[in-house]
Amino acid sequence: MAQSRILTVGTFFSEFVTNRRVTPMTGKLFGTTGVRKVYSEEFDLEMALNLGKALGTYVGSGSVVIARDARTTGLMIADTVTAGILSTGVNVIRAGIIPTPTLAFITMKHGFDAGVMITASHNPPQYTGLKFWSRNSMGFTAKEETKLEEIYNKKNFKVANWDELGKESRFEDSVEEHIEALLKRCDADAIRSKTFRVIVDPGNGAACVLTPYLMQRLNCHVVTINGQLDGHFPGRRSEPDEESLGDLIQMIKQTGADLGIAHDGDSDRVIFVTEQGEVIKGDRTIALLAQQAMLASKRGTVVTTVDSSLVLDETVRRAGGNIIRTPVGDIQVAIKVAESNGVIGGEACGVYIFPEAHLAPEPFLAVCRVLELMARTEKTFGELIATIPQYPIIRSKLECPNDKKESVMKSISETLPSKMRNVKEVLTVDGLGITMEQGWILVRPSGTEPIIRITCEGQTREAVEEILRTSEEVVRATIASA
Ligand code: MG
């Protein structure tokens, strides 16, 4: 067996990347997933302290595990949140810099009363935030977040006496425990026998401490780029996509590697790149893995968000299963996976949920499953993914004054579905999502600009253009009369 190795190429290929504001900013503390704000402009240490106090009050007793990604503000905020929790008499276990899924995994495995991740996910480096996890490995639901926010707003915090304060301890082996659990959930020997050549791009984020070592344990030849933890994200933008993964694509082409693996800042996402250097959207990879998961039973439920490709529905249906769509956000997917006893869940941005492991995003098991499939079929990832077609998606935006957005969205939620043919489902949480036989539409107001964005997919160019034309007409007329 060839010996595995890890090389760090560092940020040699780094390029200047313009930071973008990607999270809608409102007065509300919690967004789509937890709290995410710009440090010092929208979030300060007093808020961190009070969020710690609020969580300790909410939990009441027991222990909370706290971890962080590599952001420059992470240690300071983790210390402050810790102080807030300890002041309520609740213990704090510090797990250091680890991926979000590792935090969710140990919260569940060790039965901690809650988990807190200090992270702003894939947002630019000036952002910070907190994601909260339950003992059942799921992120806090909207109901749980509302309760926490109520305690935070009322400042009705539990105050422990000097001799009843929480105790702080450390958790050193979380990554090792997580890797051991992952190795048990895949055919590690099949993967090891192939000595795959992989290039890992953690984007200077939390996956630096896990993915290269997982690959090593699977006897892969590993080259890591942007492989050192750095909260400035010097190597690339933290969100892994075709635009930000130029260095990874280039390295795969130059070295002839078998697979590229890229993560976001807190590593709850993974994006795969084929041996040809093609960046594959998450929904196509979910389709591939869902097909495999249903191979034996010929049935099962797959959960995804409104913006996933129709190809996922078709693949799942052909494999004998059914699909459920939810509003965007991994928590929404996790809730439906649990309710429907689903086989797999995920989002096109690179989120994978494997309920047999836990209910948090699990990008590392997705990596294992992709390598396992390559090993078993003796096919390249490019050959495997070529069996999952791609449909045209088009995006458009219409100007709409910020103060009209709410009434426009309300009005089109009532009128647009009736203008479409073969409507299967209408979702009005976080924008308007319409799923039809022939495609889908997602209409969402921008959180930062006076525009409304429309995204459509259809099986053919003509179908998608017709869907967009009708959607634009309705939205434009509604804006004009608002
Ligand atoms: Mg993330």
Side-chain angles (χ1 to χ4, degrees):
M1 198 182 274
Q3 212 191 344
S4 59
R5 65 203 168 96
I6 295 180
L7 288 180
T8 296
V9 177
T11 55
F12 180 73
F13 295 102
S14 68
E15 60 192 53
F16 178 77
V17 176
T18 311
N19 291 331
R20 300 186 311 178
R21 286 174 73 92
V22 290
T23 302
M25 285 304 150
T26 63
K28 204 173 169 295
L29 189 62
F30 285 85
T32 316
T33 313
V35 178
R36 218 178 283 178
K37 305 276 181 197
V38 177
Y39 176 72
S40 85
E41 280 176 29
E42 303 164 317
F43 190 88
D44 60 20
L45 290 182
E46 195 184 335
M47 290 168 82
L49 183 69
N50 286 340
L51 274 165
K53 288 180 183 178
L55 182 66
T57 305
Y58 176 72
V59 170
S61 62
S63 298
V64 170
V65 59
I66 180 165
R68 61 189 171 95
D69 66 14
R71 285 166 194 275
T72 58
T73 48
L75 179 61
M76 184 179 71
I77 292 170
D79 282 349
T80 312
V81 173
T82 296
I85 297 170
L86 294 175
S87 76
T88 65
V90 171
N91 301 320
V92 175
I93 293 135
R94 302 287 294 263
I97 299 180
I98 57 172
T100 293
T102 305
L103 173 84
F105 167 74
I106 59 168
T107 303
M108 174 192 74
K109 187 180 172 214
H110 294 273
F112 295 124
D113 297 280
V116 189
M117 185 76 188
I118 311 298
T119 176
S121 195
H122 55 273
N123 281 34
Q126 65 272 31
Y127 279 79
T128 185
L130 291 88
K131 276 188 191 176
F132 300 91
W133 297 89
S134 298
R135 195 186 296 165
N136 68 2
S137 73
M138 213 191 295
F140 270 24
T141 60
K143 211 170 153 189
E144 288 169 312
E145 286 188 344
T146 304
K147 277 189 199 162
L148 193 60
E149 197 167 0
E150 268 172 30
I151 300 170
Y152 174 89
N153 287 336
K154 286 183 185 161
K155 293 196 166 38
N156 197 10
F157 304 130
K158 191 181 158 198
V159 181
N161 278 329
W162 68 271
D163 56 349
E164 290 170 338
L165 297 171
K167 295 190 170 43
E168 187 193 34
S169 58
R170 307 224 160 240
F171 195 124
E172 305 286 357
D173 302 323
S174 57
V175 170
E176 183 52 32
E177 280 191 21
H178 195 184
I179 289 177
E180 284 296 331
L182 291 161
L183 293 174
K184 284 184 193 143
R185 292 211 174 269
C186 66
D187 189 346
D189 288 338
I191 300 171
R192 285 178 185 131
S193 72
K194 298 294 180 191
T195 322
F196 288 119
R197 291 163 307 156
V198 300
I199 303 182
V200 176
D201 180 356
N204 304 107
C208 291
V209 305
L210 198 152
T211 309
Y213 303 96
L214 174 63
M215 294 299 93
Q216 198 177 35
R217 297 280 289 274
L218 288 168
N219 190 43
C220 294
H221 282 276
V222 194
V223 174
T224 306
I225 61 169
N226 305 318
Q228 57 280 73
L229 293 167
D230 190 331
H232 298 91
F233 299 133
R236 64 163 164 88
R237 186 159 49 76
S238 177
E239 188 169 14
D241 54 29
E242 205 161 320
E243 193 189 297
S244 65
L245 297 181
D247 296 341
L248 177 59
I249 295 166
Q250 195 185 337
M251 274 203 84
I252 289 170
K253 287 181 177 170
Q254 281 171 356
T255 60
D258 298 305
L259 187 69
I261 299 164
H263 298 282
D264 70 328
D266 68 328
S267 193
D268 58 352
R269 293 184 183 184
V270 61
I271 288 289
F272 296 99
V273 184
T274 70
E275 71 284 2
Q276 307 285 344
E278 190 191 351
V279 177
I280 303 301
K281 272 190 77 188
D283 41 8
R284 286 176 80 203
T285 314
I286 296 166
L288 187 68
L289 297 181
Q291 214 175 29
Q292 290 303 310
M294 293 184 288
L295 217 50
S297 66
K298 300 269 182 278
R299 63 193 170 90
T301 298
V302 176
V303 182
T304 193
T305 46
V306 283
D307 55 348
S308 277
S309 172
L310 276 183
V311 86
L312 182 52
D313 304 58
E314 288 170 5
T315 310
V316 168
R317 220 177 293 136
R318 254 201 318 274
N322 65 298
I323 197 139
I324 295 178
R325 285 185 181 252
T326 71
V328 291
D330 59 74
I331 312 274
Q332 307 282 350
V333 176
I335 291 170
K336 281 289 174 199
V337 167
E339 267 175 27
S340 64
N341 202 14
V343 290
I344 189 172
E347 291 189 87
C349 60
V351 168
Y352 298 81
I353 293 174
F354 299 95
E356 70 270 30
H358 50 73
L359 291 166
E362 182 46 279
F364 311 111
L365 192 52
V367 172
C368 295
R369 291 277 151 84
V370 164
L371 290 171
E372 188 181 87
L373 191 57
M374 287 163 63
R376 280 186 181 159
T377 59
E378 303 207 319
K379 286 184 176 159
T380 66
F381 181 59
E383 286 165 353
L384 289 164
I385 208 72
T387 62
I388 311 288
Q390 265 188 104
Y391 291 144
I393 289 184
I394 41 180
R395 294 182 173 83
S396 159
K397 54 186 178 185
L398 295 174
E399 281 184 22
C400 176
N402 285 333
D403 59 346
K404 287 188 178 179
K405 280 178 183 167
E406 204 180 321
S407 67
V408 168
M409 287 306 298
K410 191 167 177 292
S411 173
I412 60 161
S413 298
E414 285 156 13
T415 53
L416 188 54
S418 65
K419 299 277 197 265
M420 293 293 157
R421 289 182 294 112
N422 311 320
V423 172
K424 284 161 63 185
E425 198 170 11
V426 179
L427 290 169
T428 52
V429 184
D430 194 26
L432 170 65
I434 307 174
T435 313
M436 300 156 289
E437 290 287 346
Q438 71 279 17
W440 55 258
I441 314 158
L442 184 63
V443 186
R444 292 178 83 188
S446 162
T448 49
E449 297 167 75
I451 54 173
I452 288 183
R453 296 181 199 280
I454 307 173
T455 311
C456 308
E457 188 194 50
Q459 280 147 323
T460 60
R461 180 52 60 179
E462 295 73 46
V464 73
E465 279 170 0
E466 192 202 314
I467 295 169
L468 181 69
R469 204 164 36 242
T470 312
S471 310
E472 276 187 338
E473 275 169 20
V474 172
V475 178
R476 198 176 286 123
T478 313
I479 293 169
S481 62

PDB file of all heavy atoms in Angstrom, residues 121 131 264 266 268, ligand 1:
ATOM      1  N   SER A 121     -19.946  31.382   9.376  1.00  0.00           N
ATOM      2  CA  SER A 121     -20.053  30.455   8.247  1.00  0.00           C
ATOM      3  C   SER A 121     -19.160  30.870   7.063  1.00  0.00           C
ATOM      4  O   SER A 121     -17.964  30.981   7.222  1.00  0.00           O
ATOM      5  CB  SER A 121     -21.513  30.317   7.842  1.00  0.00           C
ATOM      6  OG  SER A 121     -21.672  29.209   7.005  1.00  0.00           O
ATOM      7  N   LYS A 131     -23.901  30.031  16.256  1.00  0.00           N
ATOM      8  CA  LYS A 131     -24.888  29.031  15.847  1.00  0.00           C
ATOM      9  C   LYS A 131     -25.105  28.134  17.067  1.00  0.00           C
ATOM     10  O   LYS A 131     -24.136  27.730  17.709  1.00  0.00           O
ATOM     11  CB  LYS A 131     -24.330  28.141  14.730  1.00  0.00           C
ATOM     12  CG  LYS A 131     -24.446  28.686  13.327  1.00  0.00           C
ATOM     13  CD  LYS A 131     -24.022  27.574  12.346  1.00  0.00           C
ATOM     14  CE  LYS A 131     -23.856  28.116  10.943  1.00  0.00           C
ATOM     15  NZ  LYS A 131     -23.360  27.083  10.002  1.00  0.00           N
ATOM     16  N   ASP A 264     -16.295  25.663   3.258  1.00  0.00           N
ATOM     17  CA  ASP A 264     -16.472  27.065   3.663  1.00  0.00           C
ATOM     18  C   ASP A 264     -15.799  27.287   5.029  1.00  0.00           C
ATOM     19  O   ASP A 264     -15.180  26.372   5.577  1.00  0.00           O
ATOM     20  CB  ASP A 264     -17.955  27.452   3.668  1.00  0.00           C
ATOM     21  CG  ASP A 264     -18.738  26.793   4.787  1.00  0.00           C
ATOM     22  OD1 ASP A 264     -18.378  25.664   5.157  1.00  0.00           O
ATOM     23  OD2 ASP A 264     -19.695  27.397   5.297  1.00  0.00           O
ATOM     24  N   ASP A 266     -16.621  27.586   8.264  1.00  0.00           N
ATOM     25  CA  ASP A 266     -16.850  26.730   9.436  1.00  0.00           C
ATOM     26  C   ASP A 266     -17.036  25.275   9.030  1.00  0.00           C
ATOM     27  O   ASP A 266     -17.350  24.428   9.859  1.00  0.00           O
ATOM     28  CB  ASP A 266     -18.054  27.226  10.246  1.00  0.00           C
ATOM     29  CG  ASP A 266     -19.368  27.042   9.497  1.00  0.00           C
ATOM     30  OD1 ASP A 266     -19.364  27.126   8.255  1.00  0.00           O
ATOM     31  OD2 ASP A 266     -20.403  26.807  10.154  1.00  0.00           O
ATOM     32  N   ASP A 268     -19.272  23.510   7.267  1.00  0.00           N
ATOM     33  CA  ASP A 268     -20.487  22.699   7.234  1.00  0.00           C
ATOM     34  C   ASP A 268     -20.919  22.466   5.781  1.00  0.00           C
ATOM     35  O   ASP A 268     -21.950  21.867   5.519  1.00  0.00           O
ATOM     36  CB  ASP A 268     -21.625  23.311   8.075  1.00  0.00           C
ATOM     37  CG  ASP A 268     -22.001  24.702   7.630  1.00  0.00           C
ATOM     38  OD1 ASP A 268     -21.295  25.277   6.772  1.00  0.00           O
ATOM     39  OD2 ASP A 268     -23.006  25.223   8.144  1.00  0.00           O
TER      40      ASP A 268
HETATM   41 MG    MG B   1     -20.997  27.296   6.845  1.00  0.00          MG
END
